């Protein structure tokens, strides 16, 4: 089951009827650049191009330029097929009349292809996306301005969700055995990391008299994007 984000200017219409017969979780937001700010994380993004191909093309190019981080699929009518080119930056096209088997297959292939291309360089959990290759991290699409140690701390905790680590363990894993500073260093970095997470600061949970852990949203598991 995948988390899907649909961008459409016709919020009350059925963009892709076949999705109603599948078990994927679907979130619909307006097809506007402003709506992308704070948009929920998704395994795939679907843009509705049935009514306005020019607007859909512009939105697809914005998503591609900003690095949406998820496969981008375009829903169009059969008449719109002639207008679509590689310039759009999309991963696949789905006809609005496509059946559930076809829709599911196209989603599965697009998501799987990106997983294969990314290898095991991405960690996704509770709205946080960590790219180990580029040493970058985002929370709900917002890039976090982290120092190297803040990034390493977040990466380590997110890669081991719900597991509690003592300050001594975190010093060993993140700072290394040759670090001679005290455990207060961990507290300082956790405080700074929480400040940069903003509204999502609760992701770094404190277990009293023990240490810290990365807190998952309910019914969620953290995962590396892998092939």
């Amino acid at each position: 089951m995948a988390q899907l984000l649909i961008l459409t200017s016709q919020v009350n219409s059925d963009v892709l009827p076949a999705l109603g017969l599948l078990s994927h979780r679907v979130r619909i937001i307006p097809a506007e650049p402003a709506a992308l700010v704070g948009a929920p994380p998704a395994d795939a993004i679907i843009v509705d191009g049935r009514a306005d191909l020019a607007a859909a093309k512009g939105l697809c190019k914005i998503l591609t330029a900003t690095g949406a981080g998820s496969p981008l699929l375009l829903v169009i009518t059969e008449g719109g097929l002639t207008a679509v080119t590689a310039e759009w930056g999309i991963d696949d096209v789905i006809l609005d009349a496509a059946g559930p088997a076809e829709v599911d297959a196209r989603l599965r292939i697009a998501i799987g292809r990106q997983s294969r291309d990314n290898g095991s360089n991405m960690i996704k959990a509770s709205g946080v996306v960590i790219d180990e290759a580029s040493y970058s991290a985002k929370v709900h699409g917002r890039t976090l301005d982290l120092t190297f140690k803040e990034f390493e701390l977040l990466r380590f905790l997110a890669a081991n969700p719900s597991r509690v680590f003592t300050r001594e363990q975190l010093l060993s894993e993140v700072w290394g055995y040759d670090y001679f500073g005290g455990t207060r260093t961990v507290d300082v970095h956790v405080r700074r990391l929480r400040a940069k997470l903003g509204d999502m600061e609760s992701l770094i949970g404190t277990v009293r008299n023990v240490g810290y852990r990365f807190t998952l949203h309910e019914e969620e598991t953290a995962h590396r994007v892998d092939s």
Side-chain angles (χ1 to χ4, degrees):
M1 180 174 64
Q3 301 275 359
L4 307 177
L5 182 65
I6 296 180
L7 282 66
T8 177
S9 58
Q10 304 177 62
V11 178
N12 295 322
S13 70
D14 205 349
V15 177
L16 202 54
L19 283 177
L21 301 174
L22 299 172
S23 59
H24 303 301
R25 294 181 179 177
V26 178
R27 177 78 178 270
I28 300 176
I29 65 173
E32 302 169 356
L36 300 175
V37 180
D43 297 309
I45 298 174
I46 298 173
V47 173
D48 180 9
R50 297 170 302 162
D52 191 338
L53 283 171
K57 179 181 179 179
L59 188 59
C60 287
K61 294 181 75 171
I62 289 173
L63 287 165
T64 302
T66 56
S70 300
L72 182 59
L73 297 94
L74 175 70
V75 174
I76 54 175
T77 62
E78 189 169 359
L81 286 173
T82 57
V84 182
T85 66
E87 184 184 358
W88 290 53
I90 58 176
D91 295 285
D92 203 354
V93 174
I94 305 178
L95 290 178
D96 60 343
E102 179 181 347
V103 171
D104 199 43
R106 289 185 180 277
L107 286 168
R108 188 169 60 249
I109 291 170
I111 294 171
R113 183 186 297 124
Q114 186 178 65
S115 296
R116 180 195 63 204
D117 292 343
N118 286 340
S120 58
N121 291 327
M122 304 283 284
I123 300 173
K124 293 185 177 182
S126 299
V128 174
V129 178
I130 299 170
D131 187 338
E132 297 176 299
S134 64
Y135 282 90
S136 62
K138 294 182 178 181
V139 56
H140 291 309
R142 175 175 60 86
T143 300
L144 298 174
D145 182 16
L146 304 178
T147 65
F148 176 73
K149 287 303 181 185
E150 290 167 353
F151 174 85
E152 287 293 299
L153 179 60
L154 178 62
R155 181 196 62 77
F156 179 75
L157 290 172
N160 299 276
S162 300
R163 180 178 170 185
V164 181
F165 293 93
T166 66
R167 292 166 176 80
E168 290 78 9
Q169 287 175 313
L170 291 172
L171 275 176
S172 173
E173 295 290 343
V174 178
W175 278 263
Y177 288 104
D178 57 348
Y179 181 76
F180 295 103
T183 56
R184 178 168 170 73
T185 296
V186 177
D187 296 327
V188 171
H189 279 75
V190 166
R191 184 169 66 249
R192 291 174 179 169
L193 183 55
R194 283 173 170 164
K196 292 180 179 181
L197 285 169
D199 293 341
M200 301 296 290
E201 65 175 357
S202 60
L203 287 176
I204 309 300
T206 300
V207 179
R208 191 173 181 182
N209 298 324
V210 181
Y212 299 103
R213 68 180 175 191
F214 188 92
T215 305
L216 288 174
H217 289 163
E218 191 174 348
E219 299 181 351
E220 184 181 9
T221 58
H223 63 281
R224 288 180 182 271
V225 178
D226 206 347
S227 53

